[in-house]
C-alpha cells in the first residue's frame, strides 16, 4: 500500500504525519522549504487543553517547559478592571502560550526518529492526478519527482496549491482584523497573567488603536498586539516604537521602562471556509481548509483538531480498504464545527467593533463585550470552546441503555485517571490517538485494590467479552469516577477523544451498535480486490 502524501510541513501537516505513524501508516511530507524554521519571537500560538495534550502525546515533549501557562487573565476597559480570572498552578484549562517555531521544532524532532515518515525538502507541488486506487503528485525543485500515494492531504496553508489544483472555492471575508505585533523583553506588572486592555486612557500616536493584548512568554518576553483600525494604513517602525513606548509607560504609570525589542510584524486575520474538504482521495486540513482568528480565537487549534480527526479515519482506510462513510464524516464534522465558529464571530464582530450606539442603548454592554472577548482568548463559549460532533453522521441511533453524563455525546471527554489493561494508572488522554476505540467502565474502588482482585469479578468478564466482540479494535479501561457518571456505567470514546455514548451497565448489543456506527459501518472492499475475490 502506498504512503499517505501530506503537502505542507507546518504544525498541522507534521502533526498529521505523526498521528498517522502512531497508527502504523507511512507518510511522505512534501516540504517546499529547506526543512528548518526561522525563529520568530512575534509569531506565537496559544494552545488549549486538548491541542496541547495532543502535541505532547505525539512529540513526548513537555511544552510547558518551553512556553508559559497563563497564571490568569485580566480584562481592563479604560482604568476599570472588567474581569480578573486566576488559574491554579496545575489547572489544565490555563492556555499555553508558546512560540510557533518551538512547536514545529518539537514535531520535526519527533519525526526525525519516526521511520514511517519521510520528509522531502525543497519539494513544491505542481500537479495532482487521481485514480480509483491512489493519487500521483508531482513536485518541482532541484530534483523534480513523481510521488505515488494512497491518499493526499493538503496542509499547505492559506494559498494552498492542493485546493487550487482541485478547483475548490475558498469564499469568505478579507482583513476582518489587523494587528500590529511586537515581541519584547520587559518587566511588566502582570507576572504570568495575560492582559486585554480596551480603550486605554493614554493618548495614542498615529492611527488610533482601541485594544491592546499582552501575553507572556518565557524569559521575560511578551507579545503585544494592537488592534488597528480598518483600512490599509502603513504601520511604520516609527509608529510602532511610539506605540510601544506609550503603552509601556501607560501600564507602569510613568516613564517608559527599559525594554528590548526582539521582533515585530503586522498580523492580518481573514475569515474563509473551503466549500469542500474532500475530493476523492484528496483532503484539506488547517489553513488550506479554513481561516479564522478574530476576537482572540486561535486558528492553529482548529487545524490540529483537523489532523486528529482525519488521522484516525484515514488509518483504517489505509489498513483495511476504503471506509467511505468514515472518510466522508471528516468534512461533515470538522467543516460544521469551523463554520459554526465563523458564524459566531461574524455575528459578534459588528457589536464588538462598532462605535457608540449599542453601548449607550444597552446597559452593561461593555461587560458583555468583555465576556465575549474573554471566551475567544480563553477557549470558551461559541467563540473558543472545542467543537462537539453531536450531529455527526457517525453518531449512533438512540440506544436503549443510553444515559446522560457530564459530557454530552460528541463532545471531548474529561481527562480522568484510568487503569489500563496492564494494571498501570494513566490519564485517559494518554490512551488516545492509537487507532482504537476506548471502552471505559466506571467502577468506584478499583483504584484502591490491585487489578488482580477485580479484573475477574462482577461485570468485568462480561464487559471484556463484549469488547473483544466489537467490530473495531478497542481497549478496555477502568476509572474510579467520571463527572456525572453513575457506578457501573460504560463510556465509549472515539480515538480522538470525543464521547460516543454512555450506557447504563454492560449492554453488549448497544455497545456493538454504537461502535459499528462510530466507524461508519463495515469497510468497503477496493474494486480490484473485490473483483479478484481477495479479502
Amino acid at each position: 500500500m502506498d504512503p499517505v502524501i501530506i503537502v505542507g510541513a507546518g504544525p498541522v501537516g507534521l502533526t498529521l504525519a505523526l498521528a498517522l505513524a502512531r497508527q502504523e501508516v507511512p507518510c511522505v511530507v512534501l516540504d517546499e522549504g529547506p526543512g528548518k524554521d526561522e525563529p520568530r519571537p512575534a509569531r506565537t500560538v496559544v494552545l488549549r487543553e486538548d491541542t496541547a495534550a495532543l502535541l505532547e502525546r505525539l512529540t513526548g515533549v513537555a511544552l510547558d517547559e518551553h512556553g508559559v501557562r497563563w497564571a490568569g487573565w485580566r480584562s481592563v476597559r479604560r482604568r476599570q478592571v472588567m474581569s480578573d480570572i486566576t488559574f491554579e498552578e496545575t489547572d489544565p484549562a490555563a492556555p499555553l502560550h508558546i512560540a510557533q517555531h518551538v512547536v514545529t521544532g518539537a514535531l520535526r524532532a519527533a519525526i526525525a526518529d519516526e521511520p514511517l515518515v519521510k520528509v522531502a525538502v525543497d519539494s513544491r507541488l505542481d500537479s495532482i492526478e487521481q485514480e480509483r486506487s491512489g493519487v500521483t503528485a508531482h513536485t518541482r525543485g532541484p530534483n523534480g519527482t513523481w510521488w505515488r500515494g494512497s491518499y493526499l492531504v493538503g496542509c499547505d496553508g492559506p494559498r494552498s496549491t492542493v485546493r487550487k489544483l482541485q478547483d475548490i472555492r475558498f469564499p469568505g471575508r478579507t482583513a476582518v482584523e489587523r494587528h500590529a505585533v511586537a515581541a519584547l523583553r520587559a518587566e511588566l506588572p502582570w507576572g504570568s497573567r495575560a492582559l486585554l486592555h480596551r480603550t486605554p486612557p493614554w493618548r495614542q500616536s498615529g492611527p488610533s488603536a482601541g485594544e491592546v493584548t499582552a501575553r507572556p512568554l518565557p524569559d521575560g518576553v511578551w507579545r503585544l498586539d494592537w488592534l488597528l483600525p480598518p483600512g490599509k494604513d502603513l504601520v511604520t517602525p516609527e509608529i510602532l516604537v511610539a506605540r510601544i513606548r506609550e503603552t509601556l509607560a501607560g501600564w507602569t504609570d510613568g516613564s517608559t521602562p527599559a525594554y528590548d525589542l526582539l521582533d515585530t510584524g503586522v498580523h492580518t486575520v481573514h475569515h474563509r471556509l473551503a466549500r469542500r474538504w474532500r475530493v476523492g482521495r484528496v483532503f484539506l486540513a488547517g489553513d488550506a481548509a479554513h481561516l479564522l482568528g478574530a476576537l482572540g480565537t486561535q486558528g492553529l487549534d482548529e487545524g490540529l483538531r483537523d489532523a486528529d480527526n482525519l488521522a484516525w479515519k484515514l488509518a483504517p482506510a489505509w489498513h483495511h480498504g476504503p471506509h467511505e462513510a468514515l472518510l466522508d464524516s471528516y468534512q461533515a464534522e470538522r467543516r460544521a464545527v469551523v463554520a459554526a465558529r465563523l458564524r459566531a464571530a461574524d455575528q459578534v464582530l459588528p457589536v464588538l467593533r462598532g462605535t457608540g450606539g449599542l453601548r449607550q442603548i444597552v446597559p452593561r454592554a461593555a461587560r458583555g463585550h468583555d465576556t465575549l472577548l474573554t471566551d475567544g482568548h480563553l477557549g470558551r463559549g461559541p467563540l473558543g470552546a472545542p467543537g462537539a460532533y453531536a450531529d455527526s453522521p457517525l453518531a449512533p441511533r438512540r440506544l436503549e441503555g443510553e444515559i446522560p453524563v457530564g459530557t454530552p455525546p460528541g463532545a471531548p471527554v474529561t481527562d480522568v485517571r484510568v487503569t489500563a489493561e496492564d494494571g498501570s494508572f494513566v490519564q485517559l488522554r494518554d490512551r488516545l490517538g492509537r487507532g482504537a476505540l476506548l471502552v471505559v467502565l466506571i467502577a468506584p474502588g478499583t483504584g484502591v485494590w490491585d487489578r488482580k482482585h477485580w479484573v475477574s469479578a462482577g461485570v468485568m468478564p462480561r464487559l471484556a467479552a463484549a469488547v473483544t466482540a466489537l467490530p473495531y479494535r478497542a481497549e478496555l479501561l477502568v476509572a474510579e469516577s467520571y463527572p456525572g457518571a453513575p457506578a457501573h456505567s460504560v463510556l465509549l470514546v472515539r480515538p480522538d477523544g470525543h464521547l460516543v455514548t454512555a450506557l447504563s451497565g454492560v449492554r453488549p448489543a448497544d455497545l456493538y451498535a454504537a461502535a459499528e456506527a462510530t466507524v461508519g459501518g463495515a469497510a468497503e472492499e477496493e474494486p480490484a480486490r473485490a473483483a479478484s475475490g481477495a479479502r
Side-chain angles (χ1 to χ4, degrees):
M1 188 74 166
D2 295 315
V4 173
I5 299 172
I6 298 172
V7 183
V12 175
L14 297 175
T15 296
L16 177 59
L18 278 175
L20 286 169
R22 296 294 186 267
Q23 297 171 68
E24 300 182 349
V25 177
C27 305
V28 172
V29 180
L30 304 182
D31 183 356
E32 70 176 45
K36 297 180 179 179
D37 301 282
E38 179 186 357
R40 287 290 310 275
R43 191 174 189 185
T44 65
V45 295
V46 178
L47 300 174
R48 317 302 182 194
E49 179 183 359
D50 61 319
T51 51
L54 168 64
L55 290 173
E56 291 185 344
R57 188 167 66 245
L58 292 175
T59 64
V61 174
L63 296 179
D64 288 28
E65 298 176 3
H66 303 277
V68 169
R69 289 270 183 188
W70 294 350
W73 167 266
R74 176 174 291 182
S75 179
V76 179
R77 184 171 181 268
R78 298 189 188 279
R79 296 189 184 278
Q80 179 184 4
V81 176
M82 306 297 288
S83 65
D84 199 350
I85 299 170
T86 298
F87 295 109
E88 299 297 329
E89 186 174 349
T90 57
D91 189 346
L96 173 65
H97 190 208
I98 188 169
Q100 182 167 313
H101 71 266
V102 173
V103 172
T104 308
L107 290 165
R108 287 190 184 277
I111 281 178
D113 295 329
E114 177 51 71
L116 288 177
V117 180
K118 174 181 179 179
V119 179
V121 300
D122 298 318
S123 298
R124 184 177 182 85
L125 180 75
D126 61 11
S127 72
I128 298 173
E129 296 178 4
Q130 282 204 62
E131 303 168 10
R132 295 187 67 180
S133 61
V135 182
T136 303
H138 183 265
T139 55
R140 64 176 184 265
N143 298 301
T145 307
W146 289 97
W147 303 89
R148 181 66 179 173
S150 53
Y151 297 92
L152 184 146
V153 186
C155 304
D156 48 343
R159 296 181 176 85
S160 170
T161 301
V162 174
R163 189 184 64 241
K164 294 171 183 175
L165 289 173
Q166 296 303 300
D167 196 25
I168 299 174
R169 293 185 60 200
F170 198 38
R173 301 172 59 195
T174 300
V176 176
E177 289 185 346
R178 285 199 317 148
H179 297 261
V181 182
L184 52 87
R185 184 175 285 106
E187 186 173 342
L188 298 181
W190 320 118
S192 295
R193 304 172 75 86
L195 172 77
L196 171 66
H197 201 154
R198 303 188 73 205
T199 321
W202 52 83
R203 189 173 69 85
Q204 301 184 23
S205 303
S208 62
E211 184 176 301
V212 57
T213 306
R215 289 173 281 200
L217 287 162
D219 303 321
V221 176
W222 292 80
R223 170 171 165 167
L224 274 55
D225 290 61
W226 293 267
L227 178 66
L228 297 172
K232 299 181 179 179
D233 293 333
L234 184 64
V235 181
T236 66
E238 293 76 17
I239 289 176
L240 186 54
V241 168
R243 183 162 292 161
I244 291 171
R245 294 180 62 84
E246 70 182 6
T247 300
L248 296 182
W251 282 340
T252 54
D253 294 323
S255 59
T256 303
Y259 69 91
D260 183 14
L261 183 58
L262 306 176
D263 192 18
T264 63
V266 174
H267 175 53
T268 303
V269 176
H270 309 288
H271 278 180
R272 295 188 178 276
L273 184 65
R275 292 287 192 195
R276 294 180 294 168
W277 291 26
R278 180 190 182 192
V279 178
R281 290 177 173 266
V282 175
F283 299 81
L284 299 178
D287 286 352
H290 51 77
L291 294 175
L292 69 164
L295 308 176
T297 59
Q298 293 288 318
L300 180 58
D301 266 336
E302 295 299 350
L304 295 175
R305 290 167 186 150
D306 294 345
D308 200 20
N309 185 291
L310 183 56
W312 78 268
K313 297 172 180 178
L314 278 177
W318 191 89
H319 284 292
H320 307 298
H323 280 57
E324 293 305 317
L326 188 60
L327 294 176
D328 282 343
S329 72
Y330 166 67
Q331 172 177 306
E333 290 180 347
R334 292 300 306 149
R335 191 178 187 279
V337 164
V338 176
R341 182 148 301 163
L342 286 170
R343 283 195 300 270
D346 285 343
Q347 291 167 359
V348 169
L349 270 165
V351 176
L352 290 179
R353 302 308 188 208
T355 57
L358 189 68
R359 228 178 254 123
Q360 301 170 4
I361 297 171
V362 182
R364 308 181 190 275
R367 193 167 296 278
H369 295 179
D370 169 76
T371 300
L372 290 169
L373 284 167
T374 295
D375 284 350
H377 282 278
L378 298 186
R380 308 188 307 194
L383 288 178
Y389 307 135
D391 298 325
S392 167
L394 303 180
R397 296 178 180 178
R398 181 67 184 176
L399 303 169
E400 183 180 344
E402 191 170 33
I403 58 173
V405 296
T407 301
V413 293
T414 301
D415 191 24
V416 297
R417 192 179 79 154
V418 297
T419 305
E421 292 180 344
D422 62 0
S424 62
F425 293 112
V426 296
Q427 291 301 120
L428 179 56
R429 278 211 177 99
D430 291 342
R431 312 308 290 184
L432 299 176
R434 300 174 178 221
L437 298 174
L438 303 181
V439 179
V440 185
L441 171 68
I442 310 305
T446 50
V448 177
W449 301 100
D450 191 281
R451 182 176 180 274
K452 66 183 179 182
H453 296 304
W454 51 260
V455 70
S456 60
V459 301
M460 278 297 292
R462 185 165 178 243
L463 179 58
V467 170
T468 301
L470 291 180
Y472 191 81
R473 185 166 62 91
E475 180 180 6
L476 177 57
L477 305 169
V478 180
E480 282 244 20
S481 63
Y482 187 89
H488 303 139
S489 55
V490 175
L491 312 182
L492 180 62
V493 182
R494 298 178 4 160
D496 60 352
H498 288 253
L499 180 68
V500 176
T501 188
L503 301 173
S504 175
V506 179
R507 297 175 175 264
D510 280 354
L511 189 62
Y512 189 98
E516 188 173 43
T518 300
V519 297
E524 302 89 352
E525 291 184 312
E526 289 190 64
R529 293 182 179 180
S532 64
R535 295 182 60 84

